[in-house]
Amino acid sequence: MVSRLSSLLSNRGIQAVSRELFGRNQEFRIIEEMLDSALAGEGASALVEGIIGTGKTTLLRWSEGQARQRGMLVLSATASPTERRFSMGIVHQLFSCLENSGVSSVPPGQYASRHPAQVDPQYLQLTDLYKVMSATSERIPILVTVDCIQCVDRDSLLWLGFLLRRIENIRVVLLASQRRGEPASDQHLLVEFMESIRPDRHLRLEDLSPSTASRLVDALGSCVPGPAETLIADSGGNPYLLTQQILAAPSAEQSGDGVRHDSAADLPIRLRAVKDRVLCLLRRLDRDGLRVAHAASVVGGSAMNAELIGELCSLSVEEASRNLEQLAECGILHPTSLAFRHPIIARLLYLDIPRSHRAVLHQQTARCLYNRRLGPADITPHLVQAATLDEPWMATLLLDAAEELLPGDAPTALDHIETVERHGVPEQLASRIAELRVRTLLQLDLPGSVPAQYALLGLGAGHRELAARALRLADTLIRLGEPQEARQVLNSVNDRARDQDAAAAARLSRHLAHICIDDGACTDAPRGLERLESVILRRIANGESAAAARRLCRMSLATPRTPYGSPSWYYALLGLIWAGDFDEAQSHIDAEVRLAMKEGAVTRVAEARAVRALLHMHRGLLTEAGRDARLALTALRRIDADAHHMGALARSVLIDVAVEKDQLAEAGELLDVQVPPAGQPTAWWHLHLAHSAARALGRLGHTRQALALVTYCEQELDRRGISNPAVLPWRSTKALICVGLGNLPDARRLARREADLALRWGAPFAQGRALLTLAAVSPVGDVLRLNRRAVDLLDVEEAPLLYAQSLYATGHAYQQGGSTARARELLHRANEVSIALGADGLVELVQKALRDAGGRPDPRKVSAEALLTPSERQVAKLASQGMSNRDIARLLQVSLRNVESHLTHCYRKLRISGRGELSRFLSAEDGAAGSTLLHPHAAAGYHRHRQSA
């Protein structure tokens, strides 16, 4: 593995050095200058200082290699704590290298007789040793390296200082390394040695910066486990720790290790080696250093202070402070925050503590923090790991924290709840724990929440509380495709509440009515609904009048009549969509998405996104529809609830997007829709899914399977008493399938019936869709007339995709009739709109027809600007030039609200977030005097404004 990493480094053009020296170019330059200086006749010295893992020893070894390449003699010594009691031990190491090198030197005793007898013998020895070095360096330049100078014995350190102060006169380079924070053999001599080093040659090796560490991870990319940012943060940028994490990954994978480890024995071998190296360092510190480090790894966070550590380790505050300062000096802790500089070291130290002792430390820490009045966020992580919850406040605090975490962080909340249950549930907290468990499972595992909700129903509660629990359980069962079971739950609770609490009974009856509407258990508006709600549902189902239904839906949506996100609110919102009032529906569903995101409930967020995806699909915004549907489906999959209810709607939208983008091959399992057995109630959104699957299967040529699905939709809608084609245009789909089966009479009958019903309903979207289908199955003489009616009805702003389809159909009809000039005009416009929407299937059809009509489509042109009306284009061009909304309103003599509305439409159609992106679509010079103003009489004011500007 090491060779593999080295080859990776060299393959990427990175300097062929150890990974621990990555990013040390400045240090390389200084050392190379010193070596060259010695070759030129002038000695030099440097001190390499750093914490564990920054590459001090590796830098010395690299320097030795550079010196040998230059023909220098290398004298190397390594100090250790165990040998510091031997006098001149390091000097012996260095001179034994000199003897082994084969370079002849003058014996040290040769110079002793030249000194006066009164000179200190130790000074004579230092002088003789220096003269040996000087004489040898005259023949060959020398590099002297001393690793771990803080461990050098006193006499050797004295001689090194003696050499250092005279080194400039001889051809010798002295390079020493020091690990920060470790106690020295003789602190005074070490300080004197350090003061003799030039400041610019005091090389302090720090952890790598995030950018440099990121480059190192990139160089080792094929071996890196997990996100680079996580590795860098975990190691703090320390090159040794970073590379050891990466090297440990393959062994962890081979042994089947998970991400989390519970003891040091579970660690990969390389991480165990890192831990042992850190433990050796800590044992060389103060005798209590290791105990303090262990306690600090348990405490963690912002609660760390000397008083708390002293209490956990039975030390005085002064002793704890001294140990913490020492840990900061050697690079284990940050000097100010006292947090671990390298989270992986904190984790390794934590795992070195036996499990039982760990639990006791957590319990003691939680008690200390509680007595100091710290917040629950600081205390609860320790309570979760505590040996016992032996005080009443502990369980209560965990449950309070769990309640605050919901619904945003349900996994942690569940961990808190299970901790309380593991230590024994106090009787007075049983009901609260059961309620919190249900709320947590609703965010994590919807099927798993059902047994917990049934258990909660059995606990004593008032009628209103019991009704609320039953309503929640019924909602869950509906989302899991169990409407019959949901009705049973509500009926059983309703029988108990009817005589005791009229308000609770009314809520239950209302919810029963909503379930009946969802699964079609009754054809008429069921009892329990408000009169306005019943009228809305009846009008929509019968398709009486889109205008009247639109007014009623607006009344229902007006606050505070209908709460956001309630079933009644969604009935009114869908009524607006089916009535063709897309703009108002968009503002309401956008608000609901924001509210749902703020609340954080998975089911509510998924419901809002799925319905917004349906609205985007009606508007032809394929990218937005696909994104919302995928997000909804992903959220529901996380809680195992994607097979029913809103999961069906999200899948339906994804199928429709795939049809329009001509990506049916990628739809795959989305098309695996089965007709339920006869007599089994079907949730409403499953009909949408079956209809979308029928469209896609018909497009793929699976006409028999498609016909079975659309016939099932027909039967279900007939059972529910819904004839409105705006709700689900099954007749159009079935008509096209009948054409594929060669049954043209039935196709025309179905298409004509849908056109008549759409005309009665009166929504342009539904009428246009029905007319296009009718034209597709009608005799040649009626095709052009019907398609032109569809073009006249539709609006590029409200329904751009359907409008583009009508342009294509009309242009194709003109081309078939020989009017190629008019055909090209319509097909060019259809090409622009369909490209802007990303409707690849339609683009292919349009461009083929355009070529057949003698046109030349430009597939590179994304004419998003063509989606804008003249008024919107004018306002957008002025905004792209930097004009404010107020200036535009004053210039065009319109209201500020008018300008804001036009810009909002522009942003939506161009799929951008604000005015800063308008220039990508609208060139500044095009917003010129020749533009058509919103009001012609404003032209003079516009020209005056440009002249003054």
Side-chain angles (χ1 to χ4, degrees):
M1 176 57 73
V2 174
S3 61
R4 181 184 174 194
L5 292 174
S6 300
S7 66
L8 277 170
L9 287 170
S10 59
N11 288 342
R12 290 178 177 260
I14 298 171
Q15 194 168 1
V17 296
S18 170
R19 293 171 303 281
E20 292 180 24
L21 296 183
F22 196 89
R24 304 300 187 194
N25 294 334
Q26 183 177 358
E27 287 77 9
F28 294 160
R29 179 182 55 79
I30 292 174
I31 292 173
E32 287 175 338
E33 288 177 355
M34 292 167 55
L35 297 177
D36 294 338
S37 173
L39 292 173
E42 183 177 353
S45 60
L47 176 66
V48 181
E49 184 181 8
I51 62 174
I52 185 173
T54 49
K56 302 176 297 299
T57 301
T58 310
L59 185 59
L60 295 188
R61 301 291 89 84
W62 176 85
S63 304
E64 292 167 2
Q66 294 295 309
R68 292 189 180 97
Q69 289 179 14
R70 288 168 169 77
M72 298 176 66
L73 175 63
V74 175
L75 308 182
S76 176
T78 300
S80 68
T82 55
E83 294 185 8
R84 66 174 63 182
R85 59 192 180 89
F86 298 121
S87 175
M88 300 296 281
I90 294 300
V91 174
H92 281 286
Q93 281 192 54
L94 294 173
F95 277 87
S96 64
C97 293
L98 181 60
E99 293 172 3
N100 295 334
S101 67
V103 177
S104 59
S105 59
V106 181
Q110 173 179 328
Y111 299 98
S113 60
R114 301 183 183 180
H115 295 282
Q118 64 270 24
V119 176
D120 190 314
Q122 188 175 16
Y123 184 82
L124 294 177
Q125 183 185 27
L126 297 177
T127 303
D128 286 347
L129 291 171
Y130 169 75
K131 289 180 178 179
V132 171
M133 291 290 291
S134 176
T136 306
S137 67
E138 290 177 1
R139 291 189 290 278
I140 180 171
I142 302 174
L143 169 65
V144 177
T145 63
V146 180
D147 198 10
C148 297
I149 196 169
Q150 74 277 2
C151 298
V152 171
D153 63 274
R154 184 186 181 281
D155 293 335
S156 295
L157 189 57
L158 183 66
W159 180 76
L160 289 172
F162 186 91
L163 173 66
L164 179 61
R165 288 184 289 277
R166 296 160 175 79
I167 202 167
E168 292 183 358
N169 301 321
I170 58 178
R171 297 198 301 170
V172 175
V173 173
L174 173 59
L175 192 58
S177 73
Q178 179 193 8
R179 180 177 292 160
R180 255 190 357 231
E182 285 196 37
S185 303
D186 190 310
Q187 190 64 34
H188 294 292
L189 286 176
L190 181 60
V191 169
E192 184 179 334
F193 179 89
M194 294 169 62
E195 288 177 346
S196 302
I197 302 289
R198 277 174 41 178
D200 60 320
R201 291 180 180 169
H202 195 150
L203 309 181
R204 295 177 174 85
L205 301 185
E206 303 292 345
D207 292 330
L208 302 179
S209 67
S211 60
T212 306
S214 179
R215 287 195 293 113
L216 175 57
V217 172
D218 288 343
L220 308 174
S222 61
C223 310
V224 175
E229 295 79 6
T230 303
L231 286 171
I232 293 169
D234 213 24
S235 64
N238 187 283
Y240 169 69
L241 298 176
L242 183 58
T243 52
Q244 290 305 305
Q245 281 182 281
I246 295 172
L247 290 168
S251 61
E253 292 171 5
Q254 292 165 8
S255 63
D257 282 359
V259 176
R260 305 291 299 177
H261 303 286
D262 195 41
S263 69
D266 299 330
L267 291 169
I269 294 175
R270 286 187 176 275
L271 292 185
R272 271 184 269 167
V274 173
K275 176 184 71 70
D276 293 341
R277 184 174 172 184
V278 173
L279 292 177
C280 289
L281 167 64
L282 294 173
R283 290 188 179 103
R284 289 199 293 270
L285 302 180
D286 191 285
R287 60 188 178 88
D288 297 313
L290 182 56
R291 277 202 304 143
V292 169
H294 277 152
S297 71
V298 171
V299 174
S302 59
M304 179 91 71
N305 58 59
E307 185 179 359
L308 176 59
I309 294 296
E311 193 167 344
L312 293 176
C313 297
S314 302
L315 300 173
S316 67
V317 176
E318 292 76 13
E319 290 173 325
S321 296
R322 185 177 65 251
N323 280 278
L324 290 172
E325 288 173 4
Q326 200 167 28
L327 290 174
E329 287 176 10
C330 68
I332 301 294
L333 302 179
H334 278 289
T336 52
S337 66
L338 296 182
F340 278 86
R341 292 179 57 146
H342 314 99
I344 187 175
I345 289 183
R347 193 154 59 249
L348 294 175
L349 288 171
Y350 181 81
L351 294 177
D352 187 59
I353 308 171
R355 288 190 186 92
S356 57
H357 186 46
R358 233 187 284 162
V360 172
L361 282 174
H362 277 297
Q363 186 175 359
Q364 293 175 348
T365 303
R367 188 177 291 110
C368 293
L369 296 178
Y370 181 77
N371 293 335
R372 287 170 172 77
R373 311 291 185 190
L374 268 73
D378 294 310
I379 302 173
T380 51
H382 299 289
L383 289 176
V384 170
Q385 302 291 336
T388 59
L389 302 181
D390 57 351
E391 297 185 36
W393 63 266
M394 292 181 172
T396 303
L397 187 66
L398 276 174
L399 296 181
D400 290 344
E403 195 159 8
E404 289 182 8
L405 289 168
L406 291 173
D409 190 359
T412 305
L414 184 61
D415 195 22
H416 291 356
I417 294 166
E418 290 178 342
T419 299
V420 176
E421 292 174 335
R422 189 167 58 249
H423 291 285
V425 177
E427 185 177 350
Q428 68 275 17
L429 297 177
S431 179
R432 186 184 181 194
I433 290 174
E435 172 67 25
L436 285 174
R437 172 172 279 279
V438 167
R439 289 174 55 192
T440 305
L441 289 174
L442 287 173
Q443 305 300 314
L444 296 173
D445 179 9
L446 206 62
S449 75
V450 172
Q453 292 190 65
Y454 273 115
L456 186 58
L457 277 181
L459 296 177
H463 292 292
R464 293 195 177 184
E465 188 175 358
L466 185 63
R469 293 173 180 175
L471 291 173
R472 183 172 59 192
L473 176 54
D475 269 341
T476 304
L477 292 170
I478 283 292
R479 296 178 190 281
L480 295 173
E482 300 288 346
Q484 292 174 322
E485 199 170 340
R487 280 200 298 274
Q488 290 174 6
V489 169
L490 293 181
N491 282 324
S492 65
V493 177
N494 194 20
D495 291 340
R496 283 184 273 172
R498 187 176 294 117
D499 298 330
Q500 304 292 331
D501 193 326
R507 289 177 62 200
L508 293 168
S509 297
R510 186 178 178 82
H511 213 70
L512 273 168
H514 293 155
I515 294 175
C516 290
I517 293 168
D518 185 63
D519 68 2
C522 51
T523 54
D524 297 324
R527 296 175 58 187
L529 296 182
E530 291 183 354
R531 183 175 180 278
L532 178 60
E533 195 171 15
S534 298
V535 173
I536 288 174
L537 291 171
R538 187 170 59 252
R539 282 189 179 275
I540 292 173
N542 297 335
E544 295 175 7
S545 169
R550 192 182 303 122
R551 287 194 300 272
L552 294 172
C553 290
R554 286 172 176 168
M555 289 174 57
S556 181
L557 289 171
T559 54
R561 180 184 292 274
T562 306
Y564 268 87
S566 64
S568 303
W569 184 87
Y570 272 111
Y571 298 154
L573 179 77
L574 291 167
L576 281 183
I577 295 174
W578 293 327
D581 195 348
F582 296 156
D583 274 344
E584 185 160 352
Q586 186 80 55
S587 65
H588 283 296
I589 192 60
D590 286 344
E592 167 60 10
V593 170
R594 289 193 297 272
L595 291 171
M597 294 290 289
K598 185 176 181 180
E599 179 187 290
V602 175
T603 50
R604 183 177 178 183
V605 172
E607 190 167 53
R609 285 196 179 278
V611 173
R612 188 166 71 174
L614 177 66
L615 174 58
H616 286 323
M617 197 65 229
H618 274 71
R619 307 197 79 155
L621 305 177
L622 303 180
T623 302
E624 292 83 345
R627 181 176 62 245
D628 270 334
R630 279 190 294 273
L631 288 172
L633 202 58
T634 301
L636 291 172
R637 280 175 180 152
R638 286 202 303 268
I639 60 173
D640 198 17
D642 58 303
H644 307 283
H645 198 54
M646 285 299 163
L649 175 58
R651 291 171 64 194
S652 169
V653 172
L654 288 175
I655 291 172
D656 289 339
V657 171
V659 168
E660 301 301 340
K661 284 183 169 286
D662 198 21
Q663 297 172 347
L664 285 175
E666 302 173 14
E669 62 182 19
L670 292 175
L671 301 180
D672 186 16
V673 180
Q674 303 298 324
V675 175
Q680 178 177 325
T682 303
W684 171 251
W685 294 118
H686 191 79
L687 295 179
H688 269 263
L689 175 59
H691 178 260
S692 297
R695 286 185 65 219
L697 291 168
R699 186 74 65 90
L700 289 171
H702 304 298
T703 50
R704 294 294 177 186
Q705 190 178 351
L707 185 61
L709 287 173
V710 79
T711 302
Y712 158 68
C713 292
E714 174 187 2
Q715 294 167 351
E716 273 294 312
L717 290 169
D718 183 61
R719 183 175 71 85
R720 295 166 184 258
I722 299 175
S723 60
N724 190 348
V727 175
L728 205 65
W730 64 268
R731 295 175 186 85
S732 292
T733 304
K734 189 171 183 179
L736 296 175
I737 294 172
C738 287
V739 170
L741 293 171
N743 188 354
L744 197 57
D746 278 355
R748 289 175 177 172
R749 177 182 56 81
L750 288 165
R752 193 174 298 111
R753 177 59 177 160
E754 176 149 328
D756 293 340
L757 291 171
L759 180 62
R760 177 190 174 200
W761 176 240
F765 184 89
Q767 291 183 67
R769 183 169 56 189
L771 286 170
L772 288 177
T773 303
L774 181 58
V777 301
S778 293
V780 176
D782 295 332
V783 172
L784 181 58
R785 175 179 58 82
L786 293 170
N787 284 326
R788 287 177 61 185
R789 280 180 57 193
V791 171
D792 293 339
L793 276 170
L794 295 170
D795 182 2
V796 69
E797 180 178 339
E798 285 295 320
L801 180 59
L802 194 60
Y803 179 69
Q805 291 168 345
S806 66
L807 288 173
Y808 160 69
T810 308
H812 189 261
Y814 271 115
Q815 190 263 337
Q816 293 292 320
S819 302
T820 54
R822 178 61 176 156
R824 287 195 296 271
E825 180 184 345
L826 293 170
L827 292 171
H828 272 300
R829 176 72 169 136
N831 187 50
E832 292 172 347
V833 178
S834 56
I835 288 177
L837 294 172
D840 298 336
L842 181 59
V843 169
E844 186 176 347
L845 293 173
V846 170
Q847 294 190 354
K848 182 180 183 304
L850 190 52
R851 292 188 189 95
D852 292 343
R856 298 178 61 188
D858 183 1
R860 299 167 298 172
K861 183 179 181 183
V862 182
S863 300
E865 185 183 351
L867 288 172
L868 307 181
T869 65
S871 300
E872 291 167 354
R873 190 157 51 247
Q874 183 184 31
V875 170
K877 285 179 178 178
L878 293 173
S880 70
Q881 297 173 34
M883 291 183 65
S884 67
N885 291 0
R886 193 171 299 279
D887 288 341
I888 296 172
R890 187 181 302 115
L891 174 66
L892 302 180
Q893 299 182 14
V894 296
S895 68
L896 180 61
R897 186 182 182 88
N898 198 318
V899 173
E900 292 171 347
S901 175
H902 281 307
L903 285 176
T904 300
H905 289 157
C906 293
Y907 301 155
R908 190 194 69 237
K909 291 178 179 180
L910 301 178
R911 289 177 280 179
I912 59 178
S913 58
R915 67 200 303 133
E917 300 178 68
L918 284 171
S919 58
R920 292 196 289 119
F921 302 95
L922 304 160
S923 56
E925 63 270 19
D926 288 341
S931 300
T932 303
L933 297 177
L934 292 177
H935 299 286
H937 65 269
Y942 178 74
H943 286 293
R944 283 197 299 271
H945 175 83
R946 292 204 39 100
Q947 290 170 0
S948 63

